Amino acid sequence: MSEALEPGATIGILGGGQLGRMLSVAAGRLGYATHVYDPSATVPAAEMARHQTAASFDDIPALTRFAQSVDVVTYEFENIPTAALDVLEDLRPVRPGRRALQVSQDRLTEKAFLRDLGLNTAPFAAVDDTDSMHVALAEIGAPGILKTRRLGYDGKGQVRIMTPGDAPEALSAMQGAPAILEGFVDFSHEVSVIAARGMSGDVACFDPGENVHRDGILRTTTVPARLSPAQRTDAVLMAAKILNALDYIGVMGVELFVTAGGLVVNEIAPRVHNSGHWTQNGCAVDQFEQHIRAVTGQPLGDGGRFADVVMENLIGDDMDRLPELRAEQDVAIHLYGKAETRRGRKMGHVNRVKR
Amino acid sequence: MSEALEPGATIGILGGGQLGRMLSVAAGRLGYATHVYDPSATVPAAEMARHQTAASFDDIPALTRFAQSVDVVTYEFENIPTAALDVLEDLRPVRPGRRALQVSQDRLTEKAFLRDLGLNTAPFAAVDDTDSMHVALAEIGAPGILKTRRLGYDGKGQVRIMTPGDAPEALSAMQGAPAILEGFVDFSHEVSVIAARGMSGDVACFDPGENVHRDGILRTTTVPARLSPAQRTDAVLMAAKILNALDYIGVMGVELFVTAGGLVVNEIAPRVHNSGHWTQNGCAVDQFEQHIRAVTGQPLGDGGRFADVVMENLIGDDMDRLPELRAEQDVAIHLYGKAETRRGRKMGHVNRVKR
């Protein structure tokens, strides 16, 4: 196995949101300095990092200086432009690697990758124009959901198609962007596996969590999830298959639908994941530390869980509930230091720990 | 009860060591910014704080600017000069307050305070010169331990007196500083209570931990400690008595000797305490968050514990054991980001969590 980075080394983090912030804190706990790169100067991660660069992802000189100042580069979001990667990869290791980004930046590529691995996904077809929309609808039928292939998150860039008559309006909502039509999956609930793979190829998974969304945004994750022992094993094996196929290094979030016919992969995220925040108060090594361990070449924690936890996101006006949350027992509050509360904006989360 | 500081407010922290660092991370988690004040520019807390002042504690203009930039002032060490407090207190609330500092900055004052509360302490007497040394030895006898009244920590400024013949050498080791002679206490083990008191007067204690020292430095803290239910209750009541008497706001470490005749107070520290680090991996609200909750006027966590934990300090060359520690399961590593490893220097700690 390769040598782990020694304390004192610097980890570059692309993206300065709450995930970057919590990664930075975890890195500091392991003795590493961090350098956060984000187009905005006032980002949640900045005050928890030793160094900060405020520059766009197409600023080649800034990217170059950033890479030269760090020992390894990682990221908190998957939409890193390819040109930026070209610059960074020439200078320092980027972990997780490019393959994971290529696959996850494009919903069509991702679905095809998963299908080729033999994993179940929602039925899907590419939609670029009216013709391909007709073909896709004929194949998949309605209801379905039309999504942009790139850059959607938290339900953005998605339109439901309940009947074929909805198709033209849905297509025009894509504004000419390449899209994918996905058939509905009849699932009872959604779970996610927060999986990690280290530099020696070892894989460790946290206990799957059960997710509840509202308006396309994650509301709560509960561990343990409602899964049979066989489903639990399946979930972990599927995640490991994905990580191994990508020669992945780091933490990945794998969202799975639980259906009568087995587990169906919804999507993957090549980074720490909102549905893994519960690990901060249920495990000795949480997902953020696990990711830092992986990208610095350390052995992984085993993901062992010592408490039941319910994670709840604090979104927008949920911040008004702070006084009650503070007075509740066994609630760990995690705020992101965002100055402005906006509708639909993730402001923080709480972990309710069951003794 | 007074209103809690809102997220976005700034907490000033005097002292930028590891305790300040972990306080700063906890403050960030609750949505607060921090401003760290320390004579040195390269301190562990700096990279986890939004603002930093590197200036001495007698720099009145710097102290003034610091106080004006924050909403409340707290500290990670008890030896804040009185003149600095005068400046700060005029401008902003300082929590915990001056009384706790006055009492704990002087071992003689502290012992007298505890005795006046009706609590058991080691026998003690003031030693300023040869004459008072004779009086003290006649009263307390040998063996005993001679300590400077001020500024000692981790076993520094302490000399053992095994027989009266050791007295002259011990006295000269004090270099003229006012001292205190303490009689030995015949104890089976030492425990500490990490206690907190909020702005509404509510007190919450974490489960007492059992401490093992080597060379005057804390090595391990184990929870649960070996204590009978009655001793456990006593420990908490004693801690609460101390906090109430000081009208204290924040977290305090109370070290207790367990003896056949009951619990004896060893010393108190008006701040988060090394023996409370286990709370980071055993409680929903750890001692650092508890302290921030107290000084910002939030309700306290109840101190509930959901795992057995052994905290081990990493001192000096213990850092060489990092590779093995990383490979151990259920070990949470907490390093302080100190560039230089020195003998006797606290570099980090690990929490071993028992599932």
Side-chain angles (χ1 to χ4, degrees), chain A residues 46-68:
Chain A
E47 67 190 327
M48 295 292 168
R50 189 180 296 174
H51 309 287
Q52 176 186 14
T53 293
S56 78
F57 286 109
D58 57 11
D59 183 337
I60 307 295
L63 286 166
T64 303
R65 283 192 302 273
F66 167 75
Q68 286 166 342

Side-chain angles (χ1 to χ4, degrees), chain A residues 105-231:
Chain A
Q105 282 180 354
D106 184 321
R107 292 177 195 282
L108 187 68
T109 312
E110 181 177 311
K111 283 274 190 301
F113 162 77
L114 294 167
R115 186 187 55 197
D116 293 349
L117 277 182
L119 303 176
N120 290 324
T121 69
F124 64 93
V127 172
D128 299 313
D129 49 27
T130 308
D131 283 351
S132 48
M133 177 63 113
H134 282 140
V135 174
L137 268 180
E139 195 181 316
I140 293 165
I145 185 158
L146 191 66
K147 302 176 176 179
T148 55
R149 283 173 58 175
R150 291 176 165 271
L151 294 175
Y153 68 98
D154 285 350
K156 290 162 192 165
Q158 307 195 357
V159 183
R160 288 187 181 215
I161 296 180
M162 299 312 289
T163 71
D166 295 339
E169 195 177 339
L171 189 57
S172 75
M174 299 293 111
Q175 302 182 323
I180 177 175
L181 180 65
E182 299 180 8
F184 272 135
V185 175
D186 182 19
F187 64 97
S188 56
H189 51 294
E190 185 200 288
V191 300
S192 55
V193 179
I194 306 301
R197 189 169 175 276
M199 281 174 60
S200 60
D202 49 321
V203 171
C205 295
F206 293 100
D207 204 7
E210 181 170 335
N211 302 327
V212 175
H213 295 80
R214 195 191 307 157
D215 303 329
I217 304 177
L218 183 67
R219 292 299 313 197
T220 63
T221 300
T222 301
V223 280
R226 286 172 298 162
L227 287 175
S228 69
Q231 286 171 326

Side-chain angles (χ1 to χ4, degrees), chain A residues 211-260:
Chain A
N211 302 327
V212 175
H213 295 80
R214 195 191 307 157
D215 303 329
I217 304 177
L218 183 67
R219 292 299 313 197
T220 63
T221 300
T222 301
V223 280
R226 286 172 298 162
L227 287 175
S228 69
Q231 286 171 326
R232 213 167 284 267
T233 306
D234 264 6
V236 165
L237 290 176
M238 289 166 75
K241 197 169 198 174
I242 294 167
L243 269 59
N244 285 328
L246 294 170
D247 197 16
Y248 194 82
I249 297 173
V251 162
M252 173 182 278
V254 179
E255 292 181 4
L256 302 165
F257 293 132
V258 182
T259 78

